[in-house]
Amino acid sequence: MEKQERICHVVVIPYPVQGHINPMIQFSKRLASKGLQVTLVIFSSQTLSTPASLGCVKVVTISDGSDTGSRSIADLLKQFQATVTQKLSQLVVELGISSGHPVSCLVYDSFMPWVLEIARHLGLTGASFFTQSCAVNSVYYQIHEGQLKIPLEKLPVSVPGLPPLDVDELPSFVHDMESEYSSILTLVVNQFLNFRGADWVFVNSFNPLEEEVVNWLAGQRSIKPIGPMIPSVYLDRQLEDDTEYGLSLFKPALDGCMEWLDAKETGSVVYVSFGSLAALGEDQMAEIAWGLWRSGCYFLWVVRESEEKKLPCNFVEGSSEKGLIVTWSPQLEVLSHKSVGCFMTHCGWNSTLEALSLGVPMVAVPQWTDQPTNAKYIADVWRVGVRVKANEKGIVTKEELEKCIREVMESERGSEMRRNSEKWKKLAKTAMGEGGSSEKNITEFAAKLASKFN
Ligand code: UDX
């Protein structure tokens, strides 16, 4: 009988939201390009048509169990863990049998630290993947270690490797002790349950973007920055046909936004997106609409289907000469288009990394979770954008939005932000290019795993 070649088989398991799936897809593609066999597991409660593969990465989709009527966030999280724990061991064994290559490593989202127990039970290597910024994770680490007490005792908060953080610069869950989001605070703090136990810890960041905080965390245990995890065509062009993440939980827009952008002048368009989860109030949507209108700029605004009814009456028709509103965009293509002059963003970590890597300055309009801390870095540390100020009712007014858009699009400070963005763009490419700091970390991981098979 012919002896089958032994190949290292890695299973990658993202938490099932767009902002976690995207970077972990990219990590999967990078590992596959280094000769590993990679299977990506997507949990879904939606009827989602996923491709059977993304390049060399095989994709399997299984139900996350959230379709059985749970209500509270805490219940949903508990049910998710129970379902995945039950299904994952069996899936991993079956994947080994069906492919002819037993699985030797699980790369799991740090939101699911309990996957390490499954890895241990099956005798596999376990690697944790943090999809959010190191700064944000450092705040959660301090809470986990009891160094930062919640409720907060004094402000500003001082965290090693970070600038002092004021109340509205901290991740929002820090303030949610009494609300139903308290279970999400537990989830994010629990990422550190087996921080020291995991065989590898990866972070979607790059040196020198968060150098100080990466170095401080690395002093607690070895962590490996491997980012920015965006498609290769925008960075080092090492992977063929890697032009998009490839798996969207949202229906791609058929609104011709690229043709619309083609017809606009260089740097004349404000691209607006609040990511995949944020839900804005109707009042806030109206302020954004009129703020864009007042700025006099062209705008391309992503308003997800679930948010469309919040748009002010007649705004879509009335503003059609200046703006295009779409339900979902090819964001990377949009950000790299010459017509886009700035990105009004909710500061999700992927959107932030994408804008930095593509050299686009930002108007930071953070909503919740990690976004306020990302906004702090955008405005005050990397100096690639301006952060809006909310009024006493927590609303960002149209006047404030207009002022911030004009600052980025028209002022001398805006030109400086653009120059800073260009600098980060180059550094992102260097980190991911041959011999770059992130690229080396990925190569080292792949080589160590593969060496067990030689
Ligand atoms: C939020 C957080 O802020 C993020 O850091 C967290 O870990 C998960 O929750 P999200 O709202 O999805 O994430 O924002 P972001 O992290 O920016 O991810 C959104 C992704 O969707 C990006 O990769 C972006 O390119 C993509 N996207 C967004 C599109 O492809 N099209 C769109 O129209 C909008």
Side-chain angles (χ1 to χ4, degrees):
M1 205 171 92
E2 202 181 307
K3 200 174 157 210
Q4 205 179 11
E5 192 196 352
R6 293 183 68 209
I7 297 180
C8 179
H9 188 173
V10 180
V11 171
V12 179
I13 310 147
Y15 192 76
V17 291
Q18 193 73 58
H20 291 228
I21 292 172
N22 284 0
M24 292 186 80
I25 287 178
Q26 286 313 121
F27 193 56
S28 303
K29 290 182 195 165
R30 293 271 167 179
L31 294 179
S33 77
K34 302 211 177 286
L36 306 184
Q37 176 166 349
V38 185
T39 305
L40 178 77
V41 179
I42 300 294
F43 299 107
S44 179
S45 56
Q46 312 168 18
T47 359
L48 178 74
S49 69
T50 47
S53 64
L54 291 164
C56 295
V57 176
K58 180 183 157 77
V59 181
V60 290
T61 309
I62 56 176
S63 163
D64 64 7
S66 66
D67 41 2
T68 46
S70 282
R71 284 288 171 265
S72 72
I73 296 176
D75 281 354
L76 283 170
L77 291 172
K78 233 182 266 166
Q79 191 168 35
F80 175 69
Q81 179 172 344
T83 311
V84 174
T85 303
Q86 189 215 340
K87 290 185 178 173
L88 198 60
S89 307
Q90 197 188 345
L91 178 75
V92 168
V93 173
E94 280 169 9
L95 284 171
I97 296 168
S98 61
S99 66
H101 300 292
V103 174
S104 61
C105 174
L106 302 186
V107 178
Y108 57 91
D109 194 311
S110 56
F111 274 24
M112 301 154 71
W114 31 268
V115 173
L116 185 62
E117 285 160 40
I118 300 173
R120 292 287 175 259
H121 178 71
L122 297 171
L124 312 178
T125 299
S128 176
F129 187 109
F130 284 73
T131 60
Q132 296 184 333
S133 81
C134 269
V136 166
N137 284 316
S138 254
V139 175
Y140 297 145
Y141 178 72
Q142 293 296 324
I143 299 173
H144 185 262
E145 297 295 293
Q147 301 295 327
L148 181 60
K149 301 263 187 295
I150 303 287
L152 297 169
E153 286 167 351
K154 70 173 172 73
L155 285 164
V157 164
S158 163
V159 173
L162 272 72
L165 296 177
D166 235 314
V167 68
D168 60 349
E169 295 167 347
L170 286 158
S172 67
F173 300 133
V174 164
H175 314 298
D176 284 326
M177 285 281 286
E178 306 298 329
S179 79
E180 73 161 329
Y181 292 125
S182 64
S183 40
I184 308 191
L185 177 62
T186 309
L187 174 85
V188 291
V189 170
N190 281 351
Q191 294 178 98
F192 291 94
L193 278 178
N194 54 35
F195 187 50
R196 291 187 176 80
D199 298 301
W200 297 79
V201 174
F202 298 112
V203 292
N204 186 17
S205 191
F206 62 99
N207 274 330
L209 188 68
E210 295 189 282
E211 198 144 29
E212 237 185 290
V213 65
V214 167
N215 287 345
W216 188 86
L217 260 185
Q220 310 305 299
R221 75 139 289 158
S222 162
I223 59 168
K224 306 277 179 188
I226 42 70
M229 276 293 132
I230 71 168
S232 170
V233 74
Y234 300 103
L235 295 162
D236 57 337
R237 299 180 177 270
Q238 265 187 43
L239 311 188
E240 252 176 59
D241 298 332
D242 182 29
T243 55
E244 53 177 5
Y245 293 108
L247 201 160
S248 180
L249 301 177
F250 298 84
K251 264 191 249 142
L254 301 169
D255 311 89
C257 56
M258 297 318 292
E259 293 75 17
W260 185 87
L261 282 174
D262 286 343
K264 302 289 174 285
E265 280 166 34
T266 302
S268 65
V269 176
V270 181
Y271 171 58
V272 188
S273 164
F274 289 86
S276 68
L277 297 167
L280 279 64
E282 239 170 77
D283 293 0
Q284 187 59 81
M285 288 287 274
E287 296 296 327
I288 292 172
W290 299 120
L292 288 167
W293 178 253
R294 287 168 66 111
S295 77
C297 296
Y298 289 111
F299 62 88
L300 171 61
W301 185 3
V302 178
V303 179
R304 298 190 317 273
E305 252 174 340
S306 58
E307 300 285 285
E308 274 180 314
K309 56 185 177 307
K310 299 178 187 169
L311 282 164
C313 280
N314 305 329
F315 180 75
V316 182
E317 302 77 44
S319 62
S320 61
E321 266 179 36
K322 277 288 177 188
L324 179 66
I325 298 178
V326 298
T327 52
W328 192 250
S329 81
Q331 182 157 302
L332 285 153
E333 260 188 272
V334 169
L335 286 174
S336 58
H337 197 285
K338 65 166 181 38
S339 300
V340 171
C342 97
F343 181 15
M344 185 190 287
T345 172
H346 70 315
C347 311
W349 186 234
N350 296 287
S351 295
T352 303
L353 283 177
E354 290 161 7
L356 283 164
S357 306
L358 295 166
V360 184
M362 291 172 258
V363 173
V365 192
Q367 299 298 306
W368 68 322
T369 172
D370 54 343
Q371 298 151 19
T373 315
N374 299 339
K376 165 77 177 167
Y377 271 72
I378 289 169
D380 296 344
V381 179
W382 306 316
R383 303 174 75 80
V384 291
V386 57
R387 180 183 178 163
V388 296
K389 287 190 184 65
N391 66 14
E392 61 293 345
K393 291 184 187 141
I395 298 282
V396 182
T397 62
K398 50 185 178 299
E399 291 82 7
E400 169 72 4
L401 288 158
E402 177 194 355
K403 186 187 92 197
C404 291
I405 294 170
R406 287 190 188 279
E407 187 168 349
V408 177
M409 296 288 273
E410 296 164 9
S411 77
E412 179 41 41
R413 235 189 108 206
S415 308
E416 190 193 321
M417 292 172 199
R418 200 157 282 113
R419 287 194 291 277
N420 290 339
S421 301
E422 283 299 324
K423 181 190 91 181
W424 288 112
K425 178 178 172 176
K426 282 200 193 102
L427 291 168
K429 283 188 176 165
T430 307
M432 290 307 291
E434 219 182 315
S437 51
S438 293
E439 209 276 333
K440 268 200 218 152
N441 286 336
I442 303 170
T443 304
E444 182 200 356
F445 175 56
K448 284 254 168 73
L449 286 181
S451 68
K452 295 189 183 158
F453 286 80
N454 297 325

